[in-house]
Amino acid sequence: VSRSAKTRQAALQSLRLAFSSRTLSEFLLERRLMLTDSLEKCLKKGKGEEQALAGTVLTLLCLQMGSGPEGEEVFRSLKPLLVSVLTDSTASPGARQSCATALGMCCYIAAADLE
C-alpha cells in the first residue's frame, strides 16, 4: 500500500470504475485477500475521502463476490472496521455515510447470519 494518500485515492477511484463497469468475479476470487487487506488499511489509517472511497470499493467488491462463501468472508473480515468508522464521531460525514452504505449492502448480499 502506497504511503501517499493521493496515490491510494487514485487507485481506489480506478478500482471503483473497474468494479462498476465490468464483471470481474473470476479475476477477483484469486485476489480478494489482498484487496481486503488493502481496503482494511485504507479504512483504518485513511481519512475522509480515502475512507469514503474504500467503503464504496468494498460495496462493489461484495457485489462482485456475490452471496457465496467468498463474499461472506470479505464482509465478515471488514464488518468490524465498517462499524468502527460508522460510529466514530470524528470521521468525516462522507466516510461514515459510505461505510453505512457498505455495511447495509454487504450485509444484504453476503451476510450468512440472518440477524
Side-chain angles (χ1 to χ4, degrees), residues 48-88:
E49 180 70 12
E50 184 178 345
Q51 288 177 314
L53 282 165
T56 302
V57 170
L58 175 58
T59 301
L60 294 167
L61 179 60
C62 268
L63 280 167
Q64 292 268 352
M65 291 287 95
S67 61
E70 294 85 4
E72 184 188 335
E73 176 188 14
V74 168
F75 174 59
R76 190 176 47 241
S77 66
L78 290 177
K79 180 183 171 192
L81 264 178
L82 290 172
V83 171
S84 173
V85 174
L86 177 61
T87 57
D88 179 0

Side-chain angles (χ1 to χ4, degrees), residues 3-114:
R3 294 190 187 281
S4 163
K6 286 210 182 296
T7 303
R8 288 192 306 272
Q9 285 179 21
L12 287 166
Q13 287 171 337
S14 295
L15 285 171
R16 181 181 64 190
L17 186 62
F19 289 3
S20 57
S21 61
R22 294 178 195 83
T23 301
L24 301 164
S25 46
E26 290 297 318
F27 175 80
L28 293 172
L29 272 177
E30 302 164 14
R31 294 164 179 83
R32 72 183 182 282
L33 297 177
M34 184 220 25
L35 274 166
T36 304
D37 186 51
S38 296
L39 289 172
E40 180 180 332
K41 287 180 177 130
C42 290
L43 286 169
K44 267 186 187 173
K45 297 182 169 129
K47 299 282 180 237
E49 180 70 12
E50 184 178 345
Q51 288 177 314
L53 282 165
T56 302
V57 170
L58 175 58
T59 301
L60 294 167
L61 179 60
C62 268
L63 280 167
Q64 292 268 352
M65 291 287 95
S67 61
E70 294 85 4
E72 184 188 335
E73 176 188 14
V74 168
F75 174 59
R76 190 176 47 241
S77 66
L78 290 177
K79 180 183 171 192
L81 264 178
L82 290 172
V83 171
S84 173
V85 174
L86 177 61
T87 57
D88 179 0
S89 61
T90 64
S92 79
R96 293 175 76 186
Q97 182 270 326
S98 179
C99 287
T101 301
L103 192 61
M105 287 295 291
C106 294
C107 188
Y108 180 73
I109 295 163
D113 181 4
L114 291 176

